[in-house]
Amino acid sequence: MTADREQIARVVASVEPFDALEAEHRGAVLEWIGSGAELYRLVPPDRPPMHLVSYFVPFDEATGSLLLTDHRKSGLVLPPGGHCEAGELPWQTVRRECVEELGVRAAPLPWLGTGPLFVTVTATQGTAVRRHTDVSLWHVIDVARTDARLRLDPGEFDGGHWLSFDELLALPLDRLDPHMHRFARKLRARHGAVAPR
């Protein structure tokens, strides 16, 4: 394996699964990385048909709220994020995309760091010709909802919503990434474990 591939495998292996499905997805991703298959999207939207994505979910610890966006292309309510470019490590994607999509620099949560919290394998929606599989590494970034520098890229998003965990979990899953509720439960559990009493 190349050094980049080995590093990505270590990043994925470091994710502690929240449930059986995440354990299954993490195992499938590690097998995929080890197979030597191309990891990066080379030709949008679907070549190769399986490729790396970095989500980054803005989290305001003071209010316990997360920022989700109205994603133009998919028509879904999603976290910001983007495809990893060739040779790019997942946190490098977060740093690049965060400035492009939110206008702020990506800052990791002190208790979570730059590694992903969650890993998923998801077949995208759309026509059969455009369908592909996203291997998504879900990062969490530290953003205050009052930060005046925060601006959503109008080319990518039609708006955004700061939501509490309960508000997010009340949204119908067909409007979200299919793993969004599981991610929210995992983040809420982890945050609850480190929050001051």
Side-chain angles (χ1 to χ4, degrees):
M1 274 202 272
T2 65
D4 284 355
R5 189 176 290 267
E6 287 178 0
Q7 196 164 346
I8 292 168
R10 282 196 299 273
V11 166
V12 172
S14 74
V15 176
E16 185 178 330
F18 180 63
D19 55 19
L21 182 55
E22 188 176 14
E24 180 184 321
H25 283 195
R26 186 184 72 163
V29 172
L30 289 170
E31 187 175 320
W32 171 65
I33 293 169
S35 74
E38 178 58 56
L39 303 182
Y40 301 100
R41 184 179 72 173
L42 303 178
V43 180
D46 57 0
R47 286 201 219 149
M50 187 166 173
H51 45 255
L52 278 172
V53 170
S54 278
Y55 273 144
F56 47 99
V57 183
F59 183 57
D60 179 12
E61 284 204 272
T63 61
S65 55
L66 305 88
L67 177 63
L68 297 184
T69 64
D70 296 319
H71 191 261
R72 284 189 162 205
K73 285 184 184 174
S74 70
L76 298 174
V77 178
L78 299 173
H83 292 87
C84 297
E85 294 185 351
E88 197 171 52
L89 299 174
W91 181 253
Q92 291 173 322
T93 304
V94 171
R95 290 177 59 198
R96 173 178 55 78
E97 291 277 355
C98 191
V99 172
E100 293 173 9
E101 295 191 351
L102 303 182
V104 295
R105 293 179 63 142
L109 290 167
W111 49 270
L112 192 56
T114 60
L117 174 68
F118 196 54
V119 58
T120 58
V121 179
T122 310
T124 61
Q125 300 178 3
T127 65
V129 180
R130 298 179 63 85
R131 247 181 246 147
H132 57 276
T133 300
D134 285 339
V135 172
S136 301
L137 303 179
W138 299 57
H139 300 78
V140 185
I141 59 171
D142 189 6
V143 178
R145 62 187 297 169
T146 56
D147 190 333
R149 298 168 302 164
L150 186 64
R151 56 141 192 84
L152 299 179
D153 179 357
E156 293 275 345
F157 312 117
D158 286 325
H161 317 271
W162 283 99
L163 302 166
S164 69
F165 287 112
D166 288 342
E167 289 169 333
L168 193 161
L169 290 167
L171 290 176
L173 203 52
D174 62 357
R175 293 187 53 212
L176 308 169
D177 179 290
H179 305 289
M180 191 73 232
H181 286 174
R182 292 174 50 248
F183 166 81
R185 290 187 186 103
K186 184 175 186 179
L187 177 59
R188 181 167 63 181
R190 284 291 299 275
H191 182 245
V194 299
R197 299 275 188 261

